[in-house]
Amino acid sequence: MTKVSNKPQLASVTAGKRYAWCKCGKSQRQPFCDGSHKGTNIEPVVFTAKASEDLLLCGCKHTQNPPFCDGSHNNLEDEYAIASQAEIAETKNALHVPRENGAYGKSELDGGAYVVTPDPTAMMQKDKLSWQSLIGRADGARNLDLIRFTTNGTTPWRTYKGGDTVLYVVAGRGAINIEGKRFNVSPETGIYVRMGEAFRLEAIEDLDVMAAVSPEAEPAAWPEKAAGSFTAEHAERCVGVDVTAREKMADRFYQVLIDGNVGSADVTQFIGEIPQSRAAFHRHLYEEAIVILSGAGTMWTRARKTSVATGDVIYLPPRQEHSLECTASEGMRLMGVFYPSGSPAINY
């Protein structure tokens, strides 16, 4: 017997099978209907599973996309769900994991999660392009690779034939040239490059860029020139931060930069703000990388923890329970990318 809850509920469904999602909230076998709606004039939502998979079905009954969770539960309270006293007590003796190389390198947490502090001396270089792999298959990632690019000029052409590339400008000004199409970029710009398209960076001021490649990264190729094969179906590839486009999650905010609106069907990129607080433990169905843009705090898994600060990168496998704590009075700002695409407001 499962009670109704504001949080979404994980349900395993079988392709081709019909299900009835409880809309009234009275069912004793949530999230599915047990007939308790009779006499309420509220009918269940019947759907047929398109695939055999795990889904997050709405528990709060406020979703605008029934029967699926759309993050509406986050705005039923004035404050985002914070760590309970029981969670704080349970993790009081969590092992603090320092970086493997002193100030730099990885701190390995539970379940394959980790935090990386990039080592500026470990960059590889080709002409004007410097890069460093921060998250990759060798580190246990499944579908996300995260690379840091820096340049003070015009870089060689680069292409990934096995996955889309989603970039974020941390600092600097200039342009990105995608198969002959040039887009001006500045800090807090999200950029989408379609699988197989060649791109290069052109710096006016030193550019510092984070790039996520997904879903299947192959070694980068270095074409001598662009092929001119820009995919015009989604001609606008850059999205900047816009306070009017922010989505509210109780006392937190986020803005999706890159998603299907610019052609990225597999990866979502967002920017978020966190007040001084410690989030309740939660999980996502997606695989995620988070870059701390400003602020400081602690990354918690149940048995381990490590410090995080500006410039650090967090990797979270799918379904890994975690809690990000912001200890800075001014709050924390972060950029996240995740696969498969969806909403950063959905967790369980």
Side-chain angles (χ1 to χ4, degrees), residues 28-43:
Q28 294 301 301
R29 63 181 196 95
Q30 294 291 336
F32 300 112
C33 173
D34 68 354
S36 297
H37 63 280
K38 293 178 180 178
T40 66
N41 294 321
I42 301 175
E43 295 295 320

Side-chain angles (χ1 to χ4, degrees), residues 82-112:
I82 60 173
S84 66
Q85 290 301 312
E87 287 178 334
I88 293 172
E90 288 169 7
T91 56
K92 181 176 65 174
N93 296 319
L95 175 67
H96 173 72
V97 184
R99 301 295 185 266
E100 60 187 351
N101 297 320
Y104 305 114
K106 290 169 60 177
S107 293
E108 296 192 8
L109 303 175
D110 297 308

Side-chain angles (χ1 to χ4, degrees), residues 26 34 43 66 70 76 92 95 139 195 209 280 331 334 336:
K26 295 180 177 293
D34 68 354
E43 295 295 320
D70 68 353
L76 298 179
K92 181 176 65 174
L95 175 67
D139 303 299
M195 182 187 303
V209 176
L334 54 85

Side-chain angles (χ1 to χ4, degrees), residues 1-312:
M1 183 181 297
T2 306
K3 295 181 179 179
V4 68
S5 167
N6 280 347
K7 297 283 280 185
Q9 305 211 353
L10 186 68
S12 296
V13 298
T14 302
K17 186 175 179 180
R18 284 164 55 89
Y19 297 86
W21 169 74
C22 170
K23 188 176 181 180
C24 71
K26 295 180 177 293
S27 173
Q28 294 301 301
R29 63 181 196 95
Q30 294 291 336
F32 300 112
C33 173
D34 68 354
S36 297
H37 63 280
K38 293 178 180 178
T40 66
N41 294 321
I42 301 175
E43 295 295 320
V45 173
V46 178
F47 68 98
T48 301
K50 296 179 180 179
S52 296
E53 59 183 338
D54 288 340
L55 300 173
L56 288 176
L57 301 185
C58 173
C60 72
K61 314 306 177 185
H62 288 266
T63 180
Q64 299 301 302
N65 183 33
F68 308 108
C69 173
D70 68 353
S72 292
H73 62 279
N74 292 304
N75 288 315
L76 298 179
E77 304 289 343
D78 293 332
E79 189 176 75
Y80 188 82
I82 60 173
S84 66
Q85 290 301 312
E87 287 178 334
I88 293 172
E90 288 169 7
T91 56
K92 181 176 65 174
N93 296 319
L95 175 67
H96 173 72
V97 184
R99 301 295 185 266
E100 60 187 351
N101 297 320
Y104 305 114
K106 290 169 60 177
S107 293
E108 296 192 8
L109 303 175
D110 297 308
Y114 53 85
V115 174
V116 177
T117 299
D119 182 351
T121 67
M123 302 287 277
M124 302 180 70
Q125 191 160 354
K126 181 178 176 69
D127 299 332
K128 290 285 187 176
L129 180 67
S130 299
W131 74 94
Q132 181 180 9
S133 176
L134 301 174
I135 292 173
R137 303 302 190 276
D139 303 299
R142 303 180 187 184
N143 294 289
L144 277 177
D145 287 72
L146 189 72
I147 305 110
R148 181 187 181 190
F149 293 133
T150 62
T151 183
N152 59 3
T154 297
T155 71
W157 292 98
R158 190 175 176 102
T159 184
Y160 292 95
K161 297 183 179 180
D164 291 346
T165 306
V166 175
L167 304 99
Y168 178 84
V169 180
V170 178
R173 292 190 309 116
I176 182 167
N177 191 320
I178 306 172
E179 291 289 358
K181 288 279 188 176
R182 192 173 182 274
F183 301 89
N184 293 329
V185 297
S186 56
E188 300 195 326
T189 301
I191 307 153
Y192 171 63
V193 180
R194 195 159 181 160
M195 182 187 303
E197 291 179 332
F199 68 93
R200 70 181 182 189
L201 301 172
E202 302 170 5
I204 296 174
E205 297 174 355
D206 290 4
L207 281 170
D208 188 354
V209 176
M210 291 289 182
V213 184
S214 186
E216 295 183 14
E218 297 179 2
W222 302 91
E224 292 186 6
K225 60 182 180 179
S229 55
F230 181 82
T231 306
E233 180 182 356
H234 293 280
E236 190 54 54
R237 300 295 190 83
C238 299
V239 180
V241 169
D242 179 357
V243 294
T244 66
R246 295 195 307 180
E247 298 283 342
K248 187 174 181 292
M249 291 195 306
D251 55 348
R252 299 180 176 210
F253 296 92
Y254 72 90
Q255 180 194 344
V256 171
L257 298 178
I258 302 298
D259 62 0
N261 289 324
V262 292
S264 180
D266 292 319
V267 184
T268 295
Q269 179 196 75
F270 70 96
I271 190 166
E273 297 176 5
I274 299 174
Q276 187 176 27
S277 61
R278 177 177 168 182
F281 278 105
H282 60 279
R283 298 178 173 90
H284 306 282
L285 289 181
Y286 51 71
E287 180 178 28
E288 184 174 22
I290 297 170
V291 180
I292 306 297
L293 302 175
S294 66
T298 301
M299 188 68 201
W300 298 81
T301 51
R302 284 288 182 178
R304 297 185 170 208
K305 65 179 181 178
T306 194
S307 59
V308 294
T310 301
D312 285 345

